[in-house]
Amino acid sequence: MINARHYLSFDRMKDGTPVFVRAIRREDKYALLKAYEHMSDRSIYYRFMRPKWQMSLDEAARFTDVDFESHVAIAAGHYSEKGEEEALGIGRYILLPGSKVKRAEFACAVLDSLQNLGVGSILFQHLLKIAREQGVEEFIAEVLPQNRGMIGVFRRAGLPTRTIMEDGLLRVNMDLRQNREVLESD
Ligand SMILES: CC(C)(COP(=O)(O)OP(=O)(O)OC[C@H]1O[C@@H](n2cnc3c(N)ncnc32)[C@H](O)[C@@H]1OP(=O)(O)O)[C@@H](O)C(=O)NCCC(=O)NCCS
């Protein structure tokens, strides 16, 4: 049984670089703010669908102080030569109330300089594992249609997926209950 609050696992980026994946912690708010400041306008817009703003420490705290039941968040990182943690990306899912199936909204972000190296897929796969253990049946994500990176991560996961275009956004609905290689568009 996975305890999301104490989640710790190891993985490798596409080039073989070792990566740790662990549950987010309250004190990560400082690293999150620092990472946010370095992220491009484009990545911020792709993640939050709004222009980059001045994130406050309180806001960063809301992203890092999670209950690991209705809101699960993990960080991927590696160790510097000095043995210090260096953040690469963060992923999360938040349960959506009010539906018969247990459904959660997924989102993640990877530092610009480290995109396309497999970190987004690592975050997705580890959250998928935790979510399945917690009985989540569906992931939903709202993605800009030009966000090829995120769409690539979802496509390669091979989950039964429905995508609907709504108000200029792709609403991607992934079924976690089985693992068939189907991708259909309405
Ligand atoms: C989306 C995001 C999380 C993906 O993370 P990542 O670490 O780059 O993801 P991966 O490296 O695992 O996979 C990206 C895949 O998309 C592909 N891809 C990326 N950009 C692409 C493009 N412009 N055209 C075609 N394919 C593209 C990559 O080639 C890769 O596929 P491959 O593994 O088959 O080569 C990252 O790009 C990001 O943080 N973007 C900004 C924030 C964001 O968009 N968040 C998602 C909102 S829900």
Side-chain angles (χ1 to χ4, degrees):
M1 184 73 187
I2 295 174
N3 183 343
R5 186 178 293 280
H6 300 293
Y7 191 77
L8 175 65
S9 189
F10 298 91
D11 218 314
R12 283 184 189 275
M13 282 157 59
K14 272 189 206 165
D15 64 1
T17 306
V19 171
F20 65 79
V21 184
R22 64 157 174 80
I24 204 119
R25 302 177 191 137
R26 279 185 194 163
E27 58 270 27
D28 287 333
K29 63 184 175 186
Y30 303 105
L32 172 65
L33 263 192
K34 198 168 144 203
Y36 175 85
E37 277 160 22
H38 286 99
M39 285 190 75
S40 66
D41 292 353
R42 190 179 92 133
S43 283
I44 296 300
Y45 192 72
Y46 277 17
R47 166 65 181 85
F48 297 101
M49 320 281 172
R50 58 182 272 205
K52 193 168 178 176
W53 74 100
Q54 187 77 44
M55 189 185 278
S56 68
L57 195 57
D58 277 356
E59 276 175 295
R62 282 201 290 279
F63 286 113
T64 49
D65 188 2
V66 305
D67 63 11
F68 291 99
E69 284 175 15
S70 65
H71 186 167
V72 174
I74 57 173
H78 61 70
Y79 297 106
S80 70
E81 282 176 10
K82 289 183 192 162
E84 287 162 2
E85 282 195 358
E86 286 177 355
L88 305 173
I90 289 184
R92 71 189 63 245
Y93 66 80
I94 300 174
L95 288 183
L96 298 169
S99 82
K100 270 188 274 176
V101 291
K102 197 168 175 184
R103 184 177 284 161
E105 179 156 7
F106 167 88
C108 71
V110 174
L111 288 179
D112 283 75
S113 56
L114 292 152
Q115 290 177 5
N116 295 318
L117 291 172
V119 179
S121 301
I122 289 172
L123 287 167
F124 184 73
Q125 289 300 334
H126 287 261
L127 278 171
L128 191 57
K129 197 161 85 176
I130 298 169
R132 281 181 161 144
E133 276 266 332
Q134 295 198 338
V136 178
E137 295 165 287
E138 268 181 32
F139 267 171
I140 286 176
E142 291 196 335
V143 185
L144 287 165
Q146 64 269 38
N147 192 345
R148 305 288 295 274
M150 193 75 264
I151 294 165
V153 169
F154 294 152
R155 189 178 287 269
R156 260 178 298 100
L159 297 167
T161 301
R162 270 184 314 116
T163 53
I164 306 163
M165 184 71 142
E166 234 173 30
D167 301 326
L169 287 179
L170 281 179
R171 193 179 162 84
V172 185
N173 207 304
M174 291 161 278
D175 188 341
L176 273 49
R177 288 168 291 195
Q178 44 188 314
N179 199 7
R180 288 184 291 124
E181 297 219 353
V182 177
L183 187 81
E184 56 181 63
S185 291
D186 302 319

